[in-house]
Amino acid sequence: MADIAGYGVGDQPVIGRIFLVQRNNSDAQIILASLTKEESLAKLTEAIQIVASDFSHSINSSKDSTLQEILSAQLAILTDPELSSVIIDSINSGAALSSAIDSAINDFTSLLVGGSAEFEARIADLKEIGSRLIDAAAGKSRKLQFPTEGEWIVVSDDLSPLETSQFTSAIKGVVTRDGGPTSHTAIVCRQLRISAVVGCGDISKLLSNELITLDPADNAVYLGERTIENSGPWWKQLPIQKKSIFRPLGNVGSVKDADLVRSSQAQGVGLLRTELLFLDHKNEPSVEEQVKIYSEVVSHCPDGEIIFRTLDAGTDKPIPFLGLGKEENPALGLRGQRISWIRPEFYENQLVAIRETGSKFSNRKISVMAPMIANKEEAISFANSASRLGFDSIGIMVEVPSIIEEISTLPENIHFLSIGTNDLSQYLFAADRQNSSVAHLLNPWQPILLKTISRICSLSKTRGIKVGICGEAASDPLLSAVLIGLGVESLSAGAGAVSDLVAISQVLSPSQAEAAANIALNSISAIDAQRSVRNLLTSK
Ligand code: PEP
Ligand code: MG
């Protein structure tokens, strides 16, 4: 029985001493409250310079491209003249520097609520920038000095990308109180191949300098030293199969992702998140501009099928040209394909631009799919628009549970389904994907999610339509065996996880996949499912 349980990232057990990150409640607010207007303005300029130089330094010294990308995005927000002008305006109207920074950050974040994991990450970025600016203006250093010798496990409420970028080679593991399967820390640790257990809730038992053992494969943290058996990745010892039983694909949201997916030998792109290409666009891109942007990304993608997803924005600022309003519950509001109800011309133009892009790449199969489809009427409307524009590979995402029972009677011009497990879990379990207090319900090993995927697969069989998965669930190498056993034909993982998926596609046998699916479906909890499947696949 684990002393502390969370969500494990990676499969290597590690032992180390605790490096406890203690965040002292800064008295920065009190210091900044006594400044005059002129002093506040001068301190703001100084603070922006200090924090920008911290970011630049970390970007230059980081060797990991994902981390560099995250830090560069933060630096761009920090130096955005719009942010400083909002802060300056409120100082000029009498606010203290810390309140001016806080309220500017709140304004920006309230516009970002309700999107995908990337938007969630941007909110964390903004908050991090705000608190760093306040500390820098008050002359407080936020630098963490990680040890450079020995073997250490960092324990913290959560970690920012700037902090993870300062990890030394002595950092072997991470434990966090907050965060879930798709949090920044989880993504970065996966990328850096550092074992982690995130979203543990109460971590008060973990004391500075004590020895602990992490077993991420079992989502567990143990006090003290433990021997954990680990024979390495489960698929490493298996013989190569004559024929692969699924297509390993990758998710792409940038040219960098496309490069990584291509170099990992994926057979195509299962999800091209087009909204990520427009986060910084203030004006609506013309069809020609879109063709240019898409063509650049496609030219870096692997050969094979590329599934473009139409714009999946929320009511959020990162797509400013859509001019959407604010909503109380944006995850339940106008997001994804629903925006075409009020901006049909943008969606029509986007399909035209995707078609034009496809015509320039004869070696690629260009498919399109729509997110957030809730009923047959919406599915038909999208498929008819895409068919009219000449697409012959058209799909819809299955991420709103209401569409599931319509699958067996979907029309002929819908050729494939792609399950978005991130949103499917959110809507199935009524668990906000941005709220780490309910992150355990979003664990993709939840047997009910797996039963739902199984139901989707059997209804699709009745209709004779292929199903893939493009949510985060596809990035878990152990779970991939289960998902294939449930009947999906392709898995599309986050760019950093594609190489494992490719290796698994070469060795996974139908009988292993079927056995893994059966065990997981009959488990009583997510943890039980994961443990049983691990035992099955690692037993000789
Ligand atoms: C999903 O919901 O699983 C999905 C792939 O879409 P996104 O994460 O972009 O909402
Ligand atoms: Mg989604």
Side-chain angles (χ1 to χ4, degrees):
M1 174 86 173
D3 291 308
I4 292 177
Y7 184 85
V9 176
D11 54 12
Q12 291 303 309
V14 286
I15 298 172
R17 292 204 175 275
I18 295 177
F19 179 87
L20 192 63
V21 177
Q22 277 159 320
R23 308 202 186 270
N24 44 344
N25 275 336
S26 161
D27 50 359
Q29 257 107 336
I30 304 167
I31 298 172
L32 298 181
S34 62
L35 301 181
T36 63
K37 198 183 283 184
E38 289 67 32
E39 284 169 337
S40 294
L41 291 171
K43 283 280 177 207
L44 174 66
T45 314
E46 204 181 299
I48 292 177
Q49 277 165 3
I50 294 171
V51 181
S53 118
D54 283 351
F55 276 110
S56 304
H57 178 76
S58 293
I59 292 166
N60 294 334
S61 56
S62 168
K63 292 188 187 69
D64 182 77
S65 64
T66 306
L67 205 45
Q68 280 174 337
E69 211 171 295
I70 295 171
L71 294 169
S72 304
Q74 283 188 306
L75 182 59
I77 302 173
L78 173 71
T79 50
D80 184 343
E82 218 168 301
L83 180 66
S84 49
S85 96
V86 176
I87 302 173
I88 291 168
D89 283 351
S90 72
I91 294 173
N92 282 334
S93 42
L97 178 52
S98 63
S99 331
I101 294 173
D102 273 343
S103 76
I105 296 290
N106 284 342
D107 281 0
F108 277 63
T109 49
S110 66
L111 293 161
L112 281 168
V113 168
S116 61
E118 284 71 19
F119 293 147
E120 186 188 342
R122 289 206 151 201
I123 293 172
D125 289 350
L126 273 163
K127 290 191 173 152
E128 153 94 352
I129 287 165
S131 68
R132 277 184 183 272
L133 277 178
I134 292 174
D135 280 354
K140 308 257 163 200
S141 168
R142 286 275 304 254
K143 276 219 171 75
L144 288 172
Q145 293 290 346
F146 291 113
T148 51
E149 283 181 8
E151 311 225 304
W152 295 87
I153 293 175
V154 176
V155 174
S156 179
D157 47 0
D158 207 352
L159 290 163
S160 70
L162 195 57
E163 288 165 343
T164 45
S165 75
Q166 287 154 4
F167 279 179
T168 61
S169 57
I171 304 304
K172 303 295 179 202
V174 166
V175 177
T176 65
R177 183 192 64 192
D178 303 333
T182 55
S183 62
H184 248 351
T185 309
I187 292 166
V188 170
C189 288
R190 216 171 270 136
Q191 203 73 21
L192 298 176
R193 300 209 172 246
I194 289 181
S195 298
V197 182
V198 301
C200 296
D202 185 7
I203 52 168
S204 56
K205 284 189 216 160
L206 301 177
L207 306 176
S208 187
N209 234 25
E210 296 289 315
L211 267 180
I212 51 169
T213 305
L214 300 196
D215 183 9
D218 213 11
N219 304 301
V221 181
Y222 299 99
L223 302 178
E225 210 166 334
R226 279 235 181 174
T227 311
I228 310 265
E229 263 188 50
N230 182 278
S231 46
W234 62 268
W235 63 92
K236 282 272 157 76
Q237 314 294 335
L238 298 174
I240 303 275
Q241 297 291 308
K242 283 205 186 78
K243 198 169 163 270
S244 170
I245 56 171
F246 73 95
R247 277 189 306 150
L249 308 173
N251 293 348
V252 166
S254 65
V255 166
K256 262 200 180 134
D257 287 346
D259 284 335
L260 190 53
V261 168
R262 185 188 184 122
S263 66
S264 307
Q265 322 270 301
Q267 289 179 25
V269 171
L271 170 62
L272 201 160
R273 287 185 163 104
T274 57
E275 64 280 2
L276 299 186
L277 307 174
F278 301 119
L279 290 177
D280 300 322
H281 277 61
K282 299 217 160 61
N283 300 313
E284 181 167 333
S286 63
V287 169
E288 292 70 36
E289 280 167 311
Q290 290 189 51
V291 173
K292 201 160 159 243
I293 294 167
Y294 301 150
S295 302
E296 163 78 355
V297 178
V298 171
S299 66
H300 288 256
C301 287
D303 290 347
E305 182 176 17
I306 298 177
I307 303 180
F308 272 80
R309 178 174 75 181
T310 51
L311 201 79
D312 183 21
T315 52
D316 30 54
K317 189 71 175 296
I319 316 290
F321 59 79
L322 289 176
L324 302 167
K326 238 167 132 177
E327 292 175 318
E328 280 299 315
N329 292 302
L332 304 179
L334 274 185
R335 63 164 289 212
Q337 200 64 18
R338 297 170 181 191
I339 298 169
S340 69
W341 303 343
I342 54 165
R343 293 295 310 274
E345 78 295 345
F346 176 82
Y347 281 80
E348 174 90 4
N349 286 344
Q350 188 178 29
L351 286 177
V352 171
I354 296 170
R355 187 196 58 197
E356 302 286 296
T357 307
S359 67
K360 293 168 53 185
F361 294 90
S362 54
N363 55 340
R364 306 284 198 334
K365 173 180 174 185
I366 301 289
S367 304
V368 278
M369 69 176 176
M372 295 291 293
I373 295 293
N375 60 29
K376 199 147 82 179
E377 192 185 358
E378 290 172 20
I380 291 172
S381 158
F382 171 72
N384 288 350
S385 305
S387 297
R388 187 170 32 79
L389 289 169
F391 286 97
D392 55 12
S393 178
I394 301 166
I396 58 165
M397 287 191 72
V398 180
E399 51 184 356
V400 180
S402 54
I403 191 65
I404 296 174
E405 294 305 317
E406 299 280 31
I407 289 174
S408 51
T409 58
L410 286 175
E412 289 292 310
N413 60 353
I414 294 181
H415 308 100
F416 65 92
L417 303 177
S418 183
I419 305 177
T421 47
N422 309 336
D423 277 313
L424 185 57
S425 300
Q426 157 161 270
Y427 299 123
L428 202 56
F429 290 91
D432 184 346
R433 44 191 280 200
Q434 311 205 66
N435 183 342
S436 59
S437 326
V438 292
H440 66 283
L441 289 171
L442 303 173
N443 183 331
W445 284 91
Q446 286 285 352
I448 293 185
L449 175 69
L450 302 178
K451 285 182 181 130
T452 307
I453 295 173
S454 171
R455 173 88 182 138
I456 295 169
C457 291
S458 57
L459 289 169
S460 309
K461 227 173 174 180
T462 334
R463 160 65 179 76
I465 192 171
K466 282 184 180 164
V467 190
I469 294 186
C470 65
E472 271 300 298
S475 301
D476 178 336
L478 191 65
L479 186 56
S480 62
V482 174
L483 301 175
I484 297 306
L486 295 176
V488 306
E489 176 269 337
S490 64
L491 293 176
S492 191
V498 177
S499 56
D500 285 348
L501 209 51
V502 170
I504 293 167
S505 73
Q506 291 162 354
V507 299
L508 184 68
S509 70
S511 58
Q512 275 166 330
E514 203 179 308
N518 278 336
I519 285 193
L521 283 175
N522 292 306
S523 298
I524 53 160
S525 68
I527 301 294
D528 179 40
Q530 188 184 25
R531 196 168 291 153
S532 310
V533 171
R534 177 169 299 284
N535 288 342
L536 173 85
L537 293 177
T538 52
S539 65
K540 296 277 160 346

